[in-house]
Amino acid sequence: MSNLSRLRDFIQAFTALVNESGDDEARMLDAGEKLLADLIRHDDWLPEAYSRPDSGGYRQYLLHCDPMERFSVVSFVWGPGQQTPVHDHTVWGMVGVLRGVERCEEFAPDPQSGKLLALGSHDLHPGSIDLVSPRIGDVHRVSNALTDEPTVSIHVYGANIGAVSRHSYDPRSGEQKRFISGYSNDELPNLWDRSDEMAP
Amino acid sequence: MSNLSRLRDFIQAFTALVNESGDDEARMLDAGEKLLADLIRHDDWLPEAYSRPDSGGYRQYLLHCDPMERFSVVSFVWGPGQQTPVHDHTVWGMVGVLRGVERCEEFAPDPQSGKLLALGSHDLHPGSIDLVSPRIGDVHRVSNALTDEPTVSIHVYGANIGAVSRHSYDPRSGEQKRFISGYSNDELPNLWDRSDEMAP
Ligand SMILES: [Fe+3]
Ligand SMILES: [Fe+3]
Ligand SMILES: [Mg+2]
C-alpha cells in the first residue's frame, strides 16, 4: 500500500507556504526545498501508476496542481537512455530525486552569440535536490544516468508547469522553440479519502 | 470529449469565494449556489468514469478537494432503485442535479422523543439545487426517482466530506450511527492539462 498521506501532508504544507510567501522566490526555494527533502526522504508513497516508465519517452505525471495554479507537483520518470530536450522553465522549480540517478546538464545563453554555453553536468542521487529559475539558472537537459533502471524524480514548480509557454533549445545553434508540455496523465491520485485511517 | 474546463473554472471561482467568505455560511450558500447553477446548466463536462452507476449501490466520486479541505466537489450517481441511508452532513452542502431526477426526503429530530420526524419529500430535476446545513436542515435521504435511468448530481460541501465524521439514522427509531463515507474513486480527473486549448 502506498502511504499517500506523505504527499497530502506535503501539499498542505506547501499550500500554507505559498499562501504566506508565494511572491518571494528566494523564500519559496529555501523553505520549499526543506519540505521537498522531507517528502523524498521516503520512497513508500508514490502510487505505481505515477512511476511507470514508457518506451515512448520520459513521462511527466501531474500529482497535484494548486487550484489557483500557483504551484504544481509532478513525478518525472525516465527509462534507460531517455532524456528531456534542452529546455527552460520561466518560473522557479525544484527537482528532487526519489529513485535512480538523474543527470543534469546545465546551459546558459551566450549574450554575445545567442548560442548556448554548456556549463557542466552533475549526477543527483535519491534525496538530492536541484533548483532552477530565470534568476539562478533556468536552462538544462535532464536524463537517466542509469542504463538498466528507471529514474524517478519529484518536481515542484511555481506555476501549473504543464500549461506554461516556455522554450526548448537546439543545443548546437541555440535556436529556441516555444513549447507547452502538458502532462502524461488524465487522472490524478485521490489523496483525500481518509476513511481508512479514521475508521473506528 | 468532455469539456473539463467548465469544472476547472468552477473550482477556481469557488476557491476565490472560499478565500473571501469561507467563514460566512449564508454567503457561501448564496454565492456558491449561483456558481453551481452555472456548472450544472450544461451536461457536457463530466467524464464518463465519474458518472458510472454501480450495481453495488450509489457512488460518490470525488472530483476536487480544496487542498486545505475547506470544500469538496463530489459527483453522486444512483442507479435505478438506489438510495442513501438517512444521514446528516454537519457542514453546509449544495446538491445540484445534472441528469435524471433526484428524490429528497427531509427529516428533523424530534427534540422531545429523539425520534425522526418526516418533513416531506420533493423531486429535483436537472438544474435544480437543494441546500443543507445544521442551521437550515441537515438530515435527509436521497434516492433516484427514476426506475430506468441513473441519476447524477453534483454536490459541494464546506469540508472534505468523505473524511467528516457524521451520522446515519434509523428512520423509525431515530437511532444514530457514526459514519465516515470515504469516496468511491482512487483517481481524480486531471483538470490542469491546458496544452490542447493552448496549442498554437
Ligand atoms: Fe527541467
Ligand atoms: Fe446528503
Ligand atoms: Mg496529454
Side-chain angles (χ1 to χ4, degrees):
Chain A
M1 200 209 80
S2 99
N3 194 351
L4 273 179
S5 62
R6 292 196 203 279
L7 179 57
R8 186 177 63 228
D9 292 348
F10 171 77
I11 285 163
Q12 293 195 322
F14 217 98
T15 299
L17 177 61
V18 168
N19 285 344
E20 184 194 282
S21 305
D23 293 334
D24 180 346
E25 177 190 304
R27 166 102 177 111
M28 287 306 304
L29 288 175
D30 187 52
E33 184 177 4
K34 292 183 179 68
L35 297 175
L36 181 57
D38 280 345
L39 179 65
I40 62 173
R41 184 163 295 137
H42 302 275
D43 184 10
D44 61 357
W45 55 268
L46 184 66
E48 194 276 331
Y50 307 94
S51 63
R52 205 177 286 159
D54 188 284
S55 59
Y58 70 100
R59 301 284 89 177
Q60 37 206 331
Y61 299 113
L62 181 66
L63 299 176
H64 173 76
C65 184
D66 175 71
M68 300 317 254
E69 298 176 276
R70 300 169 302 170
F71 74 96
S72 54
V73 183
V74 183
S75 163
F76 274 68
V77 182
W78 288 268
Q82 293 180 346
Q83 62 177 15
T84 67
V86 179
H87 65 276
D88 65 15
H89 309 84
T90 76
V91 296
W92 61 256
M94 309 179 199
V95 173
V97 177
L98 187 67
R99 207 176 293 170
V101 181
E102 187 165 311
R103 180 152 302 155
C104 299
E105 298 167 83
E106 294 173 328
F107 299 85
D110 179 339
Q112 314 253 273
S113 67
K115 297 203 173 182
L116 282 181
L117 302 171
L119 300 180
S121 172
H122 58 280
D123 286 356
L124 293 176
H125 290 259
S128 294
I129 296 175
D130 240 14
L131 305 177
V132 295
S133 89
R135 184 177 57 92
I136 63 178
D138 199 35
V139 181
H140 68 178
R141 175 165 57 193
V142 185
S143 56
N144 190 350
L146 302 179
T147 55
D148 55 349
E149 292 282 344
T151 283
V152 180
S153 61
I154 306 302
H155 298 204
V156 188
Y157 300 96
N160 175 5
I161 193 69
V164 172
S165 179
R166 47 197 178 118
H167 308 92
S168 63
Y169 296 83
D170 181 307
R172 287 176 204 281
S173 67
E175 194 198 346
Q176 291 187 7
K177 275 197 196 132
R178 192 174 90 96
F179 85 108
I180 295 166
S181 66
Y183 296 109
S184 307
N185 53 324
D186 292 329
E187 298 198 300
L188 310 181
N190 180 355
L191 310 177
W192 308 103
D193 191 334
R194 297 174 176 273
S195 56
D196 284 345
E197 64 201 83
M198 293 174 71
Chain B
M1 200 209 78
S2 98
N3 194 351
L4 274 178
S5 62
R6 291 197 204 278
L7 180 56
R8 185 176 64 227
D9 291 349
F10 172 77
I11 285 163
Q12 293 196 322
F14 217 97
T15 299
L17 177 61
V18 168
N19 285 344
E20 182 195 282
S21 305
D23 293 333
D24 180 347
E25 178 189 304
R27 165 102 177 111
M28 287 306 305
L29 288 175
D30 186 52
E33 185 177 3
K34 291 183 178 71
L35 296 175
L36 181 57
D38 281 343
L39 179 65
I40 62 174
R41 183 162 296 138
H42 303 274
D43 185 9
D44 60 358
W45 55 268
L46 184 65
E48 195 276 330
Y50 306 93
S51 65
R52 205 178 284 159
D54 187 283
S55 59
Y58 69 99
R59 301 283 90 178
Q60 36 204 329
Y61 299 112
L62 180 67
L63 299 177
H64 173 77
C65 185
D66 176 70
M68 300 317 253
E69 297 175 276
R70 300 171 301 173
F71 75 96
S72 54
V73 184
V74 183
S75 162
F76 275 68
V77 182
W78 289 266
Q82 294 180 344
Q83 62 176 17
T84 68
V86 179
H87 65 275
D88 66 13
H89 310 85
T90 77
V91 296
W92 60 256
M94 308 178 198
V95 173
V97 177
L98 187 69
R99 206 177 293 171
V101 182
E102 186 165 311
R103 181 152 301 155
C104 299
E105 297 167 84
E106 294 175 328
F107 299 86
D110 180 340
Q112 315 251 271
S113 67
K115 295 201 174 182
L116 282 182
L117 302 172
L119 299 180
S121 170
H122 57 279
D123 287 355
L124 294 177
H125 289 259
S128 294
I129 296 176
D130 240 13
L131 305 178
V132 295
S133 88
R135 182 175 60 90
I136 62 177
D138 200 34
V139 181
H140 68 178
R141 175 167 56 196
V142 184
S143 56
N144 190 349
L146 302 179
T147 56
D148 54 349
E149 292 283 342
T151 284
V152 179
S153 61
I154 306 302
H155 298 206
V156 188
Y157 300 96
N160 175 4
I161 193 68
V164 171
S165 178
R166 48 199 178 115
H167 308 92
S168 63
Y169 297 81
D170 181 306
R172 287 176 204 282
S173 67
E175 194 198 347
Q176 291 188 6
K177 274 196 196 132
R178 191 173 90 93
F179 84 108
I180 296 166
S181 66
Y183 296 109
S184 307
N185 52 325
D186 292 329
E187 298 197 301
L188 310 181
N190 179 357
L191 310 177
W192 307 103
D193 191 334
R194 298 177 177 271
S195 56
D196 284 347
E197 64 200 84
M198 293 174 71

